[in-house]
Amino acid sequence: MLTGRAFKFGDNISTDHITPGRLAHLRSNLPELAKHVMEDTDPTFASRVKAGDFIVAGNNFGLGSSREHAPLVIKMAGVRAILAKSVARIFFRNAINVGLPVLICDTTLIDDGDELEVDLAAGTVKDKTNGKQLTFSKIPEVMLRIFNEGGLIPYIQKYGDFKL
Amino acid sequence: MGKTLAEKILSQKSGSDARAGDIVIAKVDLVFAQDTTGPLTVRQFQASGFKRLANPQQIALFRDHAAPSPNSGLSNDHIILHQFARQTGCLIYAIGEGICHQIVAESLAKPGDVIIGADSHTVTAGGLGAFATGMGSTDTAIAFGLGKTWLQVPQSIKIVVSGNFPEGVGAKDLILHLIGQIGADGATYKALEFGGNTVDNMSMSPRFTIANMAVEAGAKVGLFAADKTTQQYLDSQGRSNHYQPVASDADAAYAQTISIDAANLEPTVSQPHTVDNIALARELKGTKVQQVVIGTCTNGRLDDLAIAADILKGKKTHHETRLIVVPASRQVMLEAITDGYIQTLIEAGAVILPPGCGPCLGLHQGVLGDVESCLSTANRNFKGRMGNPNAFIYLGSPATAAASTITGEITDPREVM
Ligand code: SF4
């Protein structure tokens, strides 16, 4: 069971919002880059987010570039999972590959600052602030297997190949 | 039941009867990374415990995003790529050779290939009939080591374009119009497959422009059949042996078909801060722009520079507007010099940058100031994209960009032609 606060964002949060190109020189220094996570959409986010919190977003989260640094810095900032109405394809794959779950559900009912309880196995989100309960769509089987090994690198280290 | 282009290519490369929705493991013909995603790819490759590349001749690294590097952090990243290439024997391209996607198109991609790149605009090679898609650094690193990747075979949306473009209107207006219609997530997880007589009559460069922006509608790939035009292009690049025809079957199943009449299109512009926020150029008359960029993997090819030079010949950029021109590759730049376009553009007031990404992603060479607006021929206008979250980015065609340079405000190119 994961518990933490919701940080609410809108639709179309791109990888440029998460970690902009102008900070490309920090990409080989991820702890430093993580200090700027989400800077161009909420400059206060990095200082407020705590280990265990959630990003809660609208449609098409993570659109744009293939930079895997985006899910990596979100994870490094302590975010335990992303809840969104929908997610862009490359970001989804990257997040699972680095062991950051993206849970697709109707996030309309969650408000910024709500306390959430996420049960990954049961597929449920409980908003403890307003008492509402949501279910999220299952992560596709092939991605779930990668996620369950802790990401794509541990998966490949274990199996040496794709085992679908 | 016949197959879409995506199903055909993935069937061939997975050795299975691949249908939309299936998960396949496909052999990859080319895997690449660039200087802002490559260093992480190298680290993930090493962390995975691989000792060598699956096939060094099918793996490429590019130094194009920071070219030349503006600071020591990025210079050190270039060193990481250089050393990796030396150790592994993979292909590596130097600063000034151009944008990865343009070099892939000119020199590496073949019809029927599966290509993955650690860059979302890898889809550009779909213009040649290659199943080319962007992935992150870890997926790319694993493909470096295994020579294959897993893919879900996408459903396809067929885009049928017919009729002739009016003067001053072209491929960029078409793809912006389409994205405006279906939205920035209108094709998520899907393939866009382009056809119709307008597409059949199109040269390669506009096909690349359209394929390049498929990802801005969320698509996994933007595919064109490989036909006579593709063959002629490969011939002209000295790659005749790389050609094979690739086409979808007449009875293939599509999730959706969208028809567009090119004759009805007008010069089209994306407004800040999402690509699907579309308006007509003439509706934005009066919107001042302090910077105009002509270049990028979307519109930095010879025909794009020719269109701009044609409009700007004997004219001057507006005194409050700077024009930055970035040829997409060394080949493009050399041809543009030979054909006189570079001279025309410089005489009109342009600054010419070395081949590469230039100011497109905001790390150097034309970062916007506060509250400045830019009209760019690029593919993205997200807040902060060009280095400043307090700036505004509009996207348009080379013709619209050139026209706006003269007036200093967003201008329908037909007004100055
Ligand atoms: S030109 Fe722009 S969009 Fe194209 S690869 Fe370079 S940074 Fe990316």
Side-chain angles (χ1 to χ4, degrees):
Chain A
M1 194 78 76
L2 309 173
T3 52
R5 274 176 314 162
F7 282 80
K8 188 102 191 246
F9 295 90
D11 294 336
N12 289 317
I13 298 297
S14 72
T15 52
D16 278 282
H17 290 91
I18 301 166
T19 181
R22 72 185 144 79
L23 300 175
H25 59 290
L26 297 178
R27 288 192 193 173
S28 285
N29 183 355
L30 286 172
E32 201 52 41
L33 188 64
K35 291 183 187 163
H36 301 271
V37 60
M38 305 299 275
E39 191 167 274
D40 281 359
T41 186
D42 177 0
T44 68
F45 176 78
S47 58
R48 292 189 296 132
V49 68
K50 291 206 185 59
D53 287 341
F54 301 101
I55 283 179
V56 177
N59 280 310
N60 208 16
F61 188 83
L63 76 158
S65 111
S66 69
R67 60 190 74 150
E68 194 171 307
H69 314 76
L72 275 173
V73 293
I74 288 174
K75 195 179 173 199
M76 285 185 88
V79 171
R80 208 52 62 73
I82 295 166
L83 283 62
K85 288 186 195 166
S86 66
V87 60
R89 185 187 70 80
I90 305 177
F91 184 91
F92 192 20
R93 201 164 158 143
N94 284 347
I96 296 299
N97 282 349
V98 303
L100 176 68
V102 179
L103 311 173
I104 304 305
C105 53
D106 182 7
T107 53
T108 318
L109 297 174
I110 303 172
D111 286 320
D112 190 51
D114 285 2
E115 287 290 330
L116 305 182
E117 205 172 79
V118 173
D119 187 335
L120 281 180
T124 56
V125 182
K126 181 157 190 208
D127 188 324
K128 295 204 287 187
T129 307
N130 64 22
K132 299 248 163 58
Q133 173 124 346
L134 306 170
T135 52
F136 53 82
S137 340
K138 278 215 289 224
I139 295 175
E141 191 62 26
V142 45
M143 295 172 87
L144 194 60
R145 263 179 259 147
I146 291 168
F147 178 74
N148 285 341
E149 297 299 338
L152 187 58
I153 289 182
Y155 174 97
I156 290 292
Q157 283 172 335
K158 179 163 170 184
Y159 297 108
D161 202 342
F162 294 110
K163 293 271 175 282
L164 297 185
Chain B
M1 177 63 81
K3 289 183 176 173
T4 62
L5 277 172
E7 289 169 331
K8 276 209 167 165
I9 297 170
L10 293 180
S11 292
Q12 233 247 316
K13 295 296 173 181
S14 66
S16 68
D17 179 28
R19 298 287 175 173
D22 293 350
I23 307 278
V24 298
I25 297 171
K27 283 208 201 86
V28 290
D29 299 279
L30 176 67
V31 194
F32 68 92
Q34 35 85 347
D35 46 357
T36 71
T37 59
L40 181 58
T41 307
V42 166
R43 288 195 289 276
Q44 300 297 66
F45 179 85
Q46 287 159 348
S48 306
F50 288 116
K51 292 285 169 285
R52 73 177 83 84
L53 301 172
N55 184 344
Q57 287 312 300
Q58 295 179 333
I59 288 161
L61 297 173
F62 296 89
R63 286 163 289 188
D64 54 354
H65 283 61
S69 163
N71 55 51
S72 59
L74 287 160
S75 302
N76 290 336
D77 284 342
H78 283 180
I79 293 173
I80 293 173
L81 298 189
H82 175 71
Q83 287 177 339
F84 184 75
R86 265 234 300 252
Q87 285 157 11
T88 61
C90 71
L91 307 173
I92 185 162
Y93 290 83
I95 283 164
E97 293 196 70
I99 306 168
C100 53
H101 309 301
Q102 183 58 22
I103 294 171
V104 165
E106 290 171 359
S107 308
L108 300 171
K110 309 186 293 297
D113 276 358
V114 170
I115 298 174
I116 67 176
D119 191 290
S120 57
H121 294 106
T122 299
V123 288
T124 311
L128 275 166
F131 189 101
T133 192
M135 291 190 187
S137 293
T138 304
D139 272 316
T140 304
I142 301 305
F144 274 19
L146 295 180
K148 53 189 166 181
T149 193
W150 75 269
L151 286 161
Q152 180 160 33
V153 183
Q155 291 192 316
S156 296
I157 301 175
K158 179 106 195 205
I159 312 293
V160 182
V161 192
S162 54
N164 295 324
F165 289 114
E167 210 197 342
V169 179
K172 183 62 165 288
D173 303 298
L174 168 66
I175 188 66
L176 291 179
H177 170 84
L178 175 67
I179 294 166
Q181 188 179 331
I182 66 176
D185 58 357
T188 300
Y189 306 122
K190 298 200 174 77
L192 293 177
E193 185 178 315
F194 296 89
N197 62 29
T198 314
V199 169
D200 296 341
N201 294 330
M202 219 175 241
S203 63
M204 285 313 296
S205 179
R207 294 185 189 186
F208 291 133
T209 298
I210 292 169
N212 173 273
M213 290 199 69
V215 67
E216 307 312 328
K220 185 178 284 188
V221 63
L223 282 164
F224 288 72
D227 58 11
K228 269 252 147 11
T229 306
T230 320
Q231 184 171 25
Q232 282 161 6
Y233 175 77
L234 290 170
D235 288 348
S236 72
Q237 291 297 116
R239 300 204 283 138
S240 303
N241 58 333
H242 285 176
Y243 177 72
Q244 60 160 316
V246 182
S248 51
D249 295 322
D251 58 343
Y254 294 91
Q256 190 186 351
T257 299
I258 297 173
S259 299
I260 298 175
D261 185 350
N264 289 338
L265 297 173
E266 292 194 57
T268 302
V269 170
S270 290
Q271 309 168 88
H273 293 289
T274 54
V275 183
D276 57 3
N277 185 15
I278 294 299
L280 297 177
R282 60 180 167 82
E283 296 169 339
L284 297 174
K285 200 176 160 74
T287 306
K288 295 213 176 333
V289 288
Q290 289 73 38
Q291 178 164 303
V292 171
V293 175
I294 299 175
T296 80
C297 55
T298 317
N299 280 120
R301 281 174 289 275
L302 190 67
D303 60 321
D304 300 313
L305 303 189
I307 289 168
D310 203 37
I311 292 173
L312 284 161
K313 192 157 185 83
K315 306 244 173 61
K316 285 272 180 261
T317 57
H318 189 269
H319 65 280
E320 285 178 349
T321 304
R322 52 189 183 269
L323 170 62
I324 297 174
V325 175
V326 204
S329 71
R330 181 174 286 165
Q331 179 184 333
V332 169
M333 188 159 193
L334 286 169
E335 289 173 356
I337 289 170
T338 305
D339 292 348
Y341 305 141
I342 296 292
Q343 171 141 6
T344 301
L345 292 167
I346 292 174
E347 283 170 355
V351 174
I352 312 289
L353 294 182
C357 296
C360 179
L361 82 163
L363 63 78
H364 66 354
Q365 297 177 338
V367 173
L368 297 172
D370 288 339
V371 208
E372 281 197 321
S373 289
C374 175
L375 180 74
S376 169
T377 63
N379 43 37
R380 282 198 176 133
N381 61 350
F382 305 140
K383 195 177 168 204
R385 173 76 181 175
M386 293 182 75
N388 186 341
N390 303 316
F392 300 89
I393 306 167
Y394 296 82
L395 307 173
S397 72
T400 302
S404 305
T405 304
I406 298 168
T407 59
E409 58 183 62
I410 295 179
T411 300
D412 185 318
R414 294 171 296 190
E415 277 184 33
V416 302
M417 283 166 81

